[in-house]
């Protein structure tokens, strides 16, 4: 680099020029007067005064020159650096000098460009990460080493809010883990959080919170070789667990339901083969038992197929306008004979004339009423009463036809009431087969039919007194 074009060179040249001007001035004006008239001190004083004024003026001029060439560019560099500090990453310097200040401006502009590009990339990555987190159906929560929340996605935030009122299940847990007593880690996640920090590796487990089941996967976050936090990914597996339990129960229940009639059919058929029936009457009795059990197996298979089709949405509904008054009258007449045989008082109470459904499957609704009344008759003793009450109600601005079937039977225990619409669930575990030997699928089929009509069905019961099934069907067409 040329020395005379550098900032130091410019300062050096400026000082040399200033000194040269002063010396030349002294040589041209001061020395001749001193040689010719040295005794006149006043003239010498005036000459020195004029020389000082000229030197001060020249010094001021060169000082302003230096301020313009050096100080002002530095001020612009400082202002640009402050703009960068405030986040104005598009700031650039327009200095075109070839000295160190020009090189500083060029380096500053390159630095600003690189910084702007890096910041843009960071914002892009942050936005991409934020979009990924927002689009995830799983809850993602990041904790620091102290258990405080660093980052979470919307699902994680909603989960934290829903778990905000959870407390330790046992008071002793807070004594066992005092280090997390003041942390933001929800109580269900604290044991797994501590285990992840202690082991330094991924850990996973299922946690049960209220009525839900969550699959939790925790992984440590490392920084410079040390753990600085934990990231937790939570997935709601309540439905998967419920379906898995339903599958196991289904296999067990189907096996149980089929094993009994198969055993009876096998036993009685072996008795016939061994010639144990000593008379035609006994042979006919054994054959009748085999026939009844085969019919029972047929009903079970038919109900299973019907239920499977309903749950898969493949049931064909022949929906049309249905007069419920006429349908209820027909079902009432069908069960009146059975009521007389069982000495049960069957009553039909209709309080509303608005009993026309605009879009419903009459055969399916008759199956619903038949199943509900059949259950009522099976669990009601002679001399008791069964009442079918119809009316209308308005829920959330929509009109519904409400049908209540109330019996005075044995009732349903409170702990069994939430599960009566599950497949194969039987509240009376000890009841014998015979007239009450249903397949355990009737109420499940009823619920599917009602929901396919956009209606609701519920049950209430007092143990040993009565049971009421409430059926609501929308009057308007869906």
């Amino acid at each position: 680099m040329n020395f005379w074009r550098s900032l130091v060179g410019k300062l050096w040249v400026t000082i040399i020029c200033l000194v040269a001007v002063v010396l030349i001035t002294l040589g041209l004006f001061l020395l001749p007067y001193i040689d010719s008239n040295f005794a006149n001190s006043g003239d010498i004083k005036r000459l020195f005064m004029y020389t000082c004024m000229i030197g001060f003026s020249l010094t001021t001029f060169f000082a302003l020159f230096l301020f313009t060439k050096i100080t002002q560019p530095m001020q612009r560099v400082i202002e640009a650096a402050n703009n960068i500090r405030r986040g104005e990453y598009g700031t650039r310097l327009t200095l075109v000098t070839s000295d160190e200040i020009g090189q500083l401006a060029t380096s500053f502009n390159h630095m600003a460009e690189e910084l702007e590009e890096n910041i843009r990339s960071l914002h892009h990555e942050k936005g991409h990460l934020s979009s990924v987190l927002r689009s995830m159906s799983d809850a993602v929560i990041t904790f620091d080493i102290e258990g405080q929340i660093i980052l979470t996605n919307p699902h994680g935030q909603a989960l934290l809010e829903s778990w905000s009122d959870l407390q330790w299940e046992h008071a002793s847990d807070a004594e066992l883990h005092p280090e997390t007593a003041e942390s933001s880690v929800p109580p269900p996640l604290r044991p797994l959080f501590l285990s992840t920090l202690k082991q330094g590796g991924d850990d996973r487990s299922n946690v049960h919170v209220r009525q839900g089941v969550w699959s939790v996967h925790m992984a440590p976050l490392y920084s410079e070789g040390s753990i600085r936090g934990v990231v937790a990914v939570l997935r709601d597996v309540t439905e998967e667990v419920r379906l898995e339990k339903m599958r196991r129960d289904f296999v067990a229940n189907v096996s149980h339901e089929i094993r009994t009639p198969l055993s009876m059919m096998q036993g009685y058929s072996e008795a016939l083969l061994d010639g144990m029936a000593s008379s035609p009457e006994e042979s006919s009795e054994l054959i009748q038992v085999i026939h009844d059990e085969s019919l029972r197996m047929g009903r079970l298979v038919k109900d299973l197929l019907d239920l499977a089709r309903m749950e898969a949405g493949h049931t064909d509904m022949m929906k049309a306008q249905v007069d419920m008054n006429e349908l209820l009258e027909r079902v009432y007449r069908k069960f009146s004979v059975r009521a007389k045989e069982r000495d049960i008082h069957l009553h039909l109470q209709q309080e509303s004339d608005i009993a026309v459904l605009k879009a419903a499957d009459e055969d399916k609704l008759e199956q619903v009423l038949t199943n509900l009344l059949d259950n009522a008759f099976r669990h009601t003793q002679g001399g008791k009463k069964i009442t079918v009450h119809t009316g209308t109600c308005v829920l959330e601005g929509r009109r519904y036809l409400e049908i209540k079937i109330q019996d005075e039977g044995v009732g349903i225990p409170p702990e069994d009431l939430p599960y009566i619409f599950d497949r194969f669930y039987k509240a009376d575990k000890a009841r014998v087969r015979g007239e009450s030997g249903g397949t355990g699928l009737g109420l499940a089929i009823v619920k599917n039919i009602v929901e396919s009509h956009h209606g609701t069905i519920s049950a209430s019961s007092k143990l040993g007194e009565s049971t009421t099934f409430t059926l609501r069907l929308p009057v308007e067409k869906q």
Side-chain angles (χ1 to χ4, degrees):
M1 181 183 66
N2 191 353
F3 174 77
W4 300 107
R5 298 178 63 183
S6 66
L7 180 61
V8 176
K10 289 180 179 180
L11 289 175
W12 196 330
V13 172
T14 302
I15 294 173
I16 290 175
C17 292
L18 179 61
V19 173
V21 169
V22 173
L23 291 177
I24 292 172
T25 303
L26 288 175
L28 293 176
F29 295 98
L30 181 59
L31 294 179
Y33 282 99
I34 293 177
D35 292 337
S36 62
N37 192 9
F38 185 78
N40 191 350
S41 60
D43 292 339
I44 295 175
K45 290 180 180 180
R46 283 192 299 271
L47 181 60
F48 270 104
M49 183 182 67
Y50 294 150
T51 303
C52 291
M53 291 176 63
I54 293 172
F56 177 77
S57 299
L58 292 174
T59 305
T60 303
F61 171 75
F62 283 110
L64 293 175
F65 174 77
L66 291 175
F67 174 79
T68 302
K69 293 298 182 181
I70 299 175
T71 308
Q72 284 187 351
M74 294 302 297
Q75 291 292 337
R76 293 172 64 181
V77 172
I78 294 173
E79 183 181 356
N82 288 330
N83 291 337
I84 294 292
R85 180 176 57 85
R86 288 192 295 267
E88 300 175 9
Y89 301 108
T91 303
R92 298 291 184 272
L93 291 173
T94 57
L95 299 176
V96 293
T97 59
S98 59
D99 53 15
E100 286 86 348
I101 294 179
Q103 293 181 356
L104 176 62
T106 303
S107 299
F108 181 89
N109 288 336
H110 286 305
M111 180 197 70
E113 290 176 2
E114 293 292 334
L115 183 61
E116 184 179 15
E117 182 64 26
N118 291 335
I119 295 298
R120 186 183 297 112
S121 298
L122 288 176
H123 280 298
H124 178 73
E125 292 297 329
K126 183 179 179 181
H128 180 68
L129 178 61
S130 178
S131 299
V132 170
L133 288 177
R134 284 196 306 269
S135 63
M136 288 181 63
S137 59
D138 299 337
V140 180
I141 309 172
T142 305
F143 304 98
D144 61 13
I145 194 80
E146 302 296 333
Q148 302 301 320
I149 298 173
I150 302 175
L151 178 67
T152 180
N153 65 344
H155 290 87
Q157 184 63 34
L159 184 65
L160 289 174
E161 292 176 359
S162 65
W163 286 3
S164 60
D165 58 342
L166 292 177
Q167 302 295 330
W168 289 99
E169 295 184 359
H170 304 285
S172 59
D173 289 343
E175 300 176 359
L176 293 175
H177 307 292
E179 61 272 24
T180 60
E182 301 298 329
S183 69
S184 300
V185 182
L189 304 181
R190 292 179 187 177
L192 199 61
F193 174 77
L194 295 175
S195 174
T196 303
L197 292 180
K198 182 178 180 181
Q199 298 177 2
D202 292 10
D203 202 353
R204 62 176 67 242
S205 177
N206 285 352
V207 295
H208 297 259
V209 181
R210 296 190 176 99
Q211 301 298 325
V213 182
W214 295 84
S215 175
V216 184
H217 181 201
M218 280 196 181
L221 298 176
Y222 286 93
S223 178
E224 298 180 356
S226 60
I227 297 178
R228 65 178 181 89
V230 170
V231 59
V233 180
L234 299 90
R235 174 175 297 178
D236 187 359
V237 294
T238 305
E239 186 66 17
E240 287 84 346
V241 172
R242 186 187 69 84
L243 291 176
E244 179 62 21
K245 182 179 182 300
M246 183 183 298
R247 185 189 66 82
R248 292 195 301 265
D249 293 344
F250 175 78
V251 173
N253 289 323
V254 168
S255 301
H256 173 74
E257 293 291 336
I258 293 180
R259 184 175 62 248
T260 301
L262 280 178
S263 299
M264 296 185 67
M265 293 171 64
Q266 181 180 359
Y268 281 94
S269 60
E270 289 177 353
L272 288 174
L273 292 174
D274 294 339
M276 297 181 61
S278 59
S279 63
E281 291 78 9
E282 291 181 358
S283 298
S284 177
E285 183 178 351
L286 296 178
I287 293 173
Q288 184 63 43
V289 172
I290 295 174
H291 178 70
D292 293 340
E293 293 302 324
S294 65
L295 292 178
R296 173 175 172 76
M297 287 185 61
R299 290 195 302 270
L300 175 62
V301 173
K302 179 180 179 302
D303 289 346
L304 283 173
L305 292 176
D306 290 343
L307 187 58
R309 283 195 296 267
M310 291 178 188
E311 292 180 346
H314 297 157
T315 304
D316 295 330
M317 290 286 181
M318 306 299 294
K319 291 186 176 182
Q321 181 171 301
V322 177
D323 186 349
M324 290 301 295
N325 287 327
E326 179 181 345
L327 177 59
L328 287 167
E329 287 287 348
R330 185 166 68 249
V331 174
Y332 172 75
R333 290 193 299 270
K334 181 170 62 175
F335 279 90
S336 296
V337 177
R338 184 174 176 181
K340 293 180 180 179
E341 295 176 351
R342 296 282 305 276
D343 191 23
I344 294 176
H345 304 284
L346 179 62
H347 298 278
L348 177 60
Q349 299 178 356
Q350 295 174 296
E351 295 184 358
S352 175
D353 294 333
I354 306 176
V356 176
L357 304 183
K358 297 299 179 63
D361 190 319
E362 185 172 358
D363 292 337
K364 297 295 183 183
L365 292 181
E366 183 174 356
Q367 181 182 357
V368 168
L369 296 175
T370 300
N371 284 352
L372 292 178
L373 283 172
D374 185 66
N375 278 340
F377 271 91
R378 275 191 271 158
H379 298 91
T380 303
Q381 299 178 352
K384 300 293 184 178
K385 181 173 65 174
I386 296 177
T387 304
V388 180
H389 178 272
T390 64
T392 58
C393 64
V394 178
L395 298 175
E396 299 179 355
R398 299 179 60 185
R399 183 175 294 276
Y400 288 84
L401 172 66
E402 185 177 74
I403 303 174
K404 293 184 178 181
I405 299 178
Q406 182 177 11
D407 62 58
E408 295 180 351
V410 296
I412 303 173
E415 62 272 14
D416 292 329
L417 199 58
Y419 309 103
I420 60 174
F421 293 103
D422 293 348
R423 291 178 293 182
F424 296 110
Y425 193 87
K426 297 179 181 179
D428 186 3
K429 307 297 190 304
R431 74 186 184 206
V432 297
R433 301 187 185 275
E435 186 181 357
S436 62
T439 62
L441 299 172
L443 291 180
I445 295 175
V446 165
K447 182 180 180 181
N448 274 275
I449 294 176
V450 172
E451 290 179 349
S452 66
H453 284 80
H454 307 284
T456 60
I457 185 170
S458 60
S460 60
S461 180
K462 293 182 179 180
L463 189 61
E465 295 183 11
S466 65
T467 299
T468 302
F469 284 89
T470 302
L471 173 65
R472 294 187 179 94
L473 296 170
V475 176
E476 295 86 0
K477 183 178 181 180
Q478 299 298 304

